[in-house]
Amino acid sequence: MTAPKKLYIKTYGCQMNVYDSERMAEALGGQGYVETKTPDDADMILLNTCHIREKAAEKVYSELGRFKGLKAARPDLKIGVAGCVAQAEGQEIMRRQPLVDLVVGPQSYHRLPEMEAKTRAGEKALDTDFPEEDKFEKLRARPKAKRGPTAFLTVQEGCDKFCAFCVVPYTRGAEVSRPVDRLLTEARDLVERGVREITLLGQNVNAYHGVGPDGADWSLARLIWALNDVDGLERIRFTTSHPNDMAEDLIEAHADCPKLMPYLHLPVQSGSDRILKRMNRSHTAEQYLRLIERLRAARPDLHMSGDFIVGFPEETEADFRDTMALVEAVQYGSAFSFKYSTRPGTPAAERAQVSEAEKDDRLQRLQALLTRQQRALQDAMVGREVSVLFEKSGRMPGQMVGKSDYLHAVHVDSDAIAPGDLARVRIVSSGPNSLAGELSR
Ligand code: 5AD
Ligand code: SF4
């Protein structure tokens, strides 16, 4: 028997890339690869990349440079670039970094086995097509191995929104939703293997419109309700949503659907109507705030999360203050904020840029406010009872870590808990990044 070949995958960017990396490892599993945790003994290195901000792409090039020594020592080592940088830069990657043997875009990775064979024959392999066939169908079924209690499930890909700053509509293509029956089959399979919480993924997940088993067009809410009936599945989450696709049935699901968790990532990007318009977001700050009111009327304890960009072209101090005011009005449970990063080929790249010093200053002020809010909401959990899905051992012996309904990390000291257990926990204290609790009796 030949020894298995070793595959090292490094994943950058969003959760959709995490899901894609799992599927790529499975696809190459058929070629005799097993995953390894270090590039040092790998036969193939794959970087699954993100192109959302400038630094993300630059990081990939510097990481590739670091593999020079490994490749010199072992010329048989194959190096591949996958994901959105692969899609956006294609051939340019091989030109700029001759170490690279393989470049595969996010819509073509089901073709990895043939591409890998090509590299073994000494050729370079490049595929950044948007093929007709469904890559998920072409991939081998997920192996039946046991897995952890939480999993991602990509239900939708691509984006038709064309926000003026964003490369996603170009790298991931138009919105496509996977059919309901395939998703339910994949979800049941995950549950059989030990998964108790599934996060539905999509660049615009709430724009999901898949073909149902009845041939009708199913919304995300309908899909969530069908998942709610899957025995053994305990929790459902979804991310990332656009405010304009927050349909009434999805808002109602937050009130009525028992397994849908009270946490919603709903990026707004800015609180200034002038900037929202220039961003091509197609909604105002007021519409976003009214939407959150409706969501909180449905589910009063809903924890909100968001994304913000500071220093978008032409953003003034007054525009930025509008963003701060919106944040004050919402009270976020968590949030991500970024300095605007110029992406070539997007409309905003051509406009008057805000200075780096102003971007830094605004980011610092916004992050200070968001951190205060996050901490306040977390501290307010002390004394409350929450359900926790335990995932793994903590750093201390006898300690287990899991996530609350609201996605807070929670530590509990107990020998009686195993990964995958769902238990009621009383929160006793709040630290910088996590809560501590005790099992409720
Ligand atoms: N510059 C900075 N942040 C960006 N994002 C997307 N494009 C850019 C850009 N050009 C942020 C948005 C989005 C998140 C995934 O990344 O906030 O919601
Ligand atoms: Fe990018 Fe806007 Fe689409 Fe989100 S909605 S992926 S920010 S274009």
Side-chain angles (χ1 to χ4, degrees), residues 159-163 165-169 203-204 242 269 281:
C159 179
D160 298 340
K161 299 282 187 294
F162 289 92
C163 297
F165 48 82
C166 185
V167 286
V168 166
Q203 261 98 27
N204 245 305
H242 191 288
Q269 316 295 354
R281 290 288 294 179

Side-chain angles (χ1 to χ4, degrees), residues 49-353:
T49 61
C50 171
H51 202 235
I52 199 98
R53 281 168 291 276
E54 207 169 359
K55 276 207 195 114
E58 282 314 309
K59 257 194 257 163
V60 172
Y61 282 110
S62 72
E63 183 85 35
L64 283 169
R66 266 187 262 147
F67 297 140
K68 217 178 211 150
L70 280 180
K71 183 98 171 180
R74 282 185 293 120
D76 270 354
L77 168 67
K78 301 297 174 198
I79 298 179
V81 180
C84 293
V85 176
Q87 189 64 43
E89 312 231 327
Q91 201 86 54
E92 172 68 14
I93 298 175
M94 288 187 178
R95 199 190 56 73
R96 203 170 139 181
Q97 186 45 273
L99 289 178
V100 173
D101 301 285
L102 180 156
V103 172
V104 62
Q107 300 309 336
S108 341
Y109 63 74
H110 54 294
R111 295 177 177 163
L112 266 175
E114 298 104 84
M115 296 177 75
E116 189 267 352
K118 203 167 161 191
T119 65
R120 291 283 154 214
E123 290 175 54
K124 301 244 175 194
L126 174 113
D127 192 335
T128 52
D129 288 352
F130 284 91
E132 282 294 310
E133 74 259 19
D134 177 352
K135 69 168 178 250
F136 298 112
E137 280 306 285
K138 296 277 167 193
L139 287 166
R140 285 157 31 98
R142 288 181 153 195
K144 294 283 176 202
K146 197 96 183 115
R147 46 174 301 158
T150 64
F152 294 130
L153 175 54
T154 293
V155 304
Q156 180 279 342
E157 281 190 288
C159 179
D160 298 340
K161 299 282 187 294
F162 289 92
C163 297
F165 48 82
C166 185
V167 286
V168 166
Y170 311 96
T171 55
R172 289 271 174 165
E175 286 173 6
V176 179
S177 297
R178 297 177 65 194
V180 172
D181 54 359
R182 291 185 196 156
L183 295 171
L184 292 178
T185 304
E186 197 168 329
R188 286 193 199 101
D189 177 61
L190 288 167
V191 169
E192 268 173 38
R193 292 161 53 200
V195 169
R196 305 195 76 189
E197 172 180 307
I198 291 181
T199 302
L200 307 176
L201 299 180
Q203 261 98 27
N204 245 305
V205 73
N206 58 342
Y208 177 86
H209 280 284
V211 183
D214 52 358
D217 174 0
W218 280 39
S219 64
L220 183 68
R222 227 173 140 187
L223 174 66
I224 289 171
W225 275 107
L227 287 165
N228 191 65
D229 289 339
V230 173
D231 285 340
L233 181 64
E234 303 294 345
R235 290 172 153 192
I236 305 165
R237 304 180 187 277
F238 62 92
T239 195
T240 289
S241 298
H242 191 288
N244 291 358
D245 291 313
M246 211 66 215
E248 193 55 44
D249 62 349
L250 192 53
I251 298 176
E252 281 167 17
H254 280 281
D256 306 328
C257 184
K259 294 181 184 172
L260 183 59
M261 291 292 105
Y263 178 98
L264 179 64
H265 183 62
L266 192 66
V268 64
Q269 316 295 354
S270 167
S272 150
D273 287 343
R274 199 178 70 86
I275 294 298
L276 286 169
K277 200 167 178 124
R278 299 292 283 150
M279 285 178 164
N280 193 31
R281 290 288 294 179
S282 315
H283 61 76
T284 62
E286 189 60 25
Q287 282 166 335
Y288 178 80
L289 292 173
R290 294 290 83 80
L291 175 59
I292 291 177
E293 267 173 19
R294 283 164 61 211
L295 282 156
R296 284 187 168 147
R299 181 79 204 222
D301 61 340
L302 188 69
H303 270 220
M304 290 304 305
S305 163
D307 289 341
F308 296 89
I309 295 177
V310 298
F312 184 76
E314 301 157 15
E315 185 188 71
T316 61
E317 174 64 23
D319 292 319
F320 174 69
R321 289 218 188 103
D322 288 345
T323 299
M324 295 290 272
L326 178 138
V327 171
E328 288 284 8
V330 173
Q331 300 289 322
Y332 286 91
S334 85
F336 305 89
S337 44
F338 314 98
K339 287 191 280 181
Y340 169 72
S341 166
T342 315
R343 308 314 291 132
T346 59
E350 311 300 324
R351 301 185 193 152
Q353 303 292 314

